Amino acid sequence: MSLCAPPLALYVHMPWCVKKCPYCDFNSHGLRGQPPPYAEYVGCLLADLDADLADFGAAARGREIASVFFGGGTPSLFAPELVARFLDGARARLPFAEACEVTLETNPGTVEHGRFDGYLAAGVNRLSFGIQSFDDDKLRRLGRIHSAAEAEAAVKSAQDAGYANLNLDLMYALPQQSLDGALADVERALALAPTHVSHYQLTLEPNTAFAANPPPLPDDDHAWAMQEACQARLADAGYGQYEISAYARPGRQCAHNLNYWQFGDYLGIGAGAHGKLSDAAAGTVRRRWKTRHPRAYMEAAGGPARIGGDSVVGAEELPFEYMLNALRLIDGVPADAFGRRTGLPADAIRRPLDDAIRRGWLVDDPRWLRTTALGQRFLNDVIAAFLD
């Protein structure tokens, strides 16, 4: 099977936030002292993009950008004119699809009223709010800087500005949270009528404040009960689950994240950003990531030192990398997509595939790769079966 170039997306990392949350293991840096050099950083982002396009050559140049995602950190710390400057610069370098989805992550405690108009004018057509909970006590325990009332006000302000495509991030299995509390968060979110809801279980990640001093969390059985109950409530409200943690109104799935899960390509721009690029001519899948610390990244200013690592994904790693993404999708992926996205023959996954079907983890369908309900519950075990 020949490797085919999949859709190409653009991920842009904005590394600063007001305050580092105790559960967060992302490459984010709390504000200290002087404001960060936001304008200078945008210049470095464009220099990074130029350098990547030069390095990747025909594998990247001229390919249409299907989606853009500003992640962080807290991208809404950047003024709309700076977001516009980057998007204008990116469009001058690469063609954007006519229906290109452009998402900006925002936290309710960091956006001044009236800024949403500016982001919309800059070309951002989708907002993702990091709300996590509508319970003020739980927000304090999570180290969030906003209140439930501020979260609701921020979402309504964005809607008043003209935004029709909004995601709300929620967490469940929070410190000392009950099932009723988890459902109450979902109800408050539904009252705001977003087009998309991301619903994540709080987990203790290594090298975080919560990992060092774990809070009292619900046990696995209670967490599973919360997931099932909230999942059912979202379904009743018309939000289809299309990925383990993602629910959307019809036609409102996140195009950028779908590209990740379907093993698409993406350029990773910014401090600590990761990218993946398929070179159809060479038959290789390549991963590149940037140096993590914002100051070191900016000092490199598009030079070789901005690269934290760069490698071709080996044939023995590709099955696991592919399944790590594709099997998160509730409806799965076409079976023949594996060959197009990896360049490997179907036999490369035949043994673990047959074993997963035998265990009841995957649906027995030669045309489709899809987990069963049992496979979804034990997804980590299913994916691990494809490790070399």
Side-chain angles (χ1 to χ4, degrees):
M1 175 71 73
S2 298
L3 180 69
C4 300
L8 179 65
L10 179 60
Y11 174 75
V12 187
H13 193 73
M14 316 295 234
W16 292 288
C17 53
V18 174
K19 176 187 172 187
K20 182 84 169 180
C21 295
Y23 58 83
C24 178
D25 68 338
F26 295 157
N27 184 34
S28 58
H29 303 263
L31 300 183
R32 295 173 183 161
Q34 293 296 317
Y38 296 122
E40 181 186 351
Y41 186 77
V42 172
C44 293
L45 290 174
L46 292 171
D48 189 3
L49 180 57
D50 282 333
D52 270 4
L53 293 176
D55 290 348
F56 295 142
R61 278 200 303 269
R63 288 176 64 182
E64 187 175 77
I65 297 297
S67 63
V68 182
F69 197 100
F70 291 94
T74 305
S76 54
L77 289 174
F78 285 71
E81 54 267 27
L82 293 178
V83 173
R85 180 183 160 201
F86 176 82
L87 286 173
D88 290 346
R91 286 192 189 93
R93 292 160 170 82
L94 288 165
F96 277 35
E98 183 177 352
C100 183
E101 176 192 271
V102 182
T103 301
L104 181 108
E105 288 186 331
T106 177
N107 284 333
T110 60
V111 178
E112 297 173 7
H113 184 76
R115 266 196 171 187
F116 293 119
D117 291 344
Y119 291 126
L120 194 62
V124 175
N125 52 35
R126 183 176 183 272
L127 293 176
S128 180
F129 283 92
I131 290 174
Q132 316 313 354
S133 176
F134 288 97
D135 182 317
D136 284 338
D137 175 66
K138 297 297 183 284
L139 289 170
R140 283 190 294 271
R141 289 173 180 265
L142 291 172
R144 306 297 287 173
I145 64 171
H146 67 271
S147 66
E150 288 171 332
E152 291 176 334
V155 173
K156 290 174 181 176
S157 178
Q159 291 167 330
D160 290 344
Y163 274 99
N165 197 5
L166 299 174
N167 169 63
L168 305 186
D169 275 350
L170 291 180
M171 285 183 169
Y172 67 96
L174 304 180
Q176 296 182 327
Q177 187 178 46
S178 65
L179 174 58
D180 287 345
L183 282 168
D185 276 346
V186 170
E187 291 295 342
R188 294 279 289 272
L190 292 175
L192 294 168
T195 50
H196 191 285
V197 175
S198 298
H199 193 243
Y200 303 98
Q201 181 178 348
L202 173 62
T203 55
L204 302 182
E205 301 293 347
N207 303 314
T208 62
F210 270 5
N213 294 288
L217 299 182
D219 61 29
D220 289 344
D221 288 341
H222 284 90
W224 179 250
M226 291 177 193
Q227 179 180 332
E228 285 194 310
C230 292
Q231 185 174 308
R233 180 65 189 98
L234 287 162
D236 287 345
Y239 292 80
Q241 184 186 19
Y242 67 99
E243 189 267 343
I244 293 297
S245 304
Y247 304 77
R249 293 282 193 188
R252 291 297 196 176
Q253 295 87 347
C254 178
H256 188 85
N257 285 342
L258 272 176
N259 187 53
Y260 287 151
W261 297 322
Q262 293 168 346
F263 213 54
D265 283 351
Y266 47 99
L267 295 170
I269 305 301
H274 284 241
K276 167 191 170 284
L277 200 69
S278 303
D279 188 333
T284 58
V285 175
R286 181 176 178 180
R287 290 203 180 276
R288 169 176 284 188
W289 54 99
K290 306 299 168 58
T291 188
R292 288 175 59 85
H293 198 277
R295 177 46 58 191
Y297 171 81
M298 293 175 67
E299 287 173 353
R306 80 190 190 285
I307 301 173
D310 195 335
S311 64
V312 171
V313 182
E316 71 282 359
E317 301 171 89
L318 279 170
F320 173 75
E321 292 242 359
Y322 182 82
M323 295 299 178
L324 181 65
N325 292 280
L327 293 184
R328 292 184 64 90
L329 292 169
I330 301 302
D331 291 335
V333 293
D336 59 5
F338 172 77
R340 294 195 303 272
R341 296 292 164 92
T342 66
L344 298 176
D347 286 348
I349 56 170
R350 176 53 52 200
R351 184 178 56 79
L353 193 64
D354 287 345
D355 187 53
I357 291 171
R358 181 181 59 80
R359 291 171 178 265
W361 290 344
L362 293 180
V363 174
D364 189 3
D365 185 342
R367 301 162 301 172
W368 210 257
L369 285 175
R370 179 164 59 91
T371 54
T372 61
L374 180 66
Q376 289 173 25
R377 182 164 187 182
F378 297 101
L379 187 60
N380 288 340
D381 295 315
V382 182
I383 293 167
F386 292 90
L387 278 169
D388 182 53

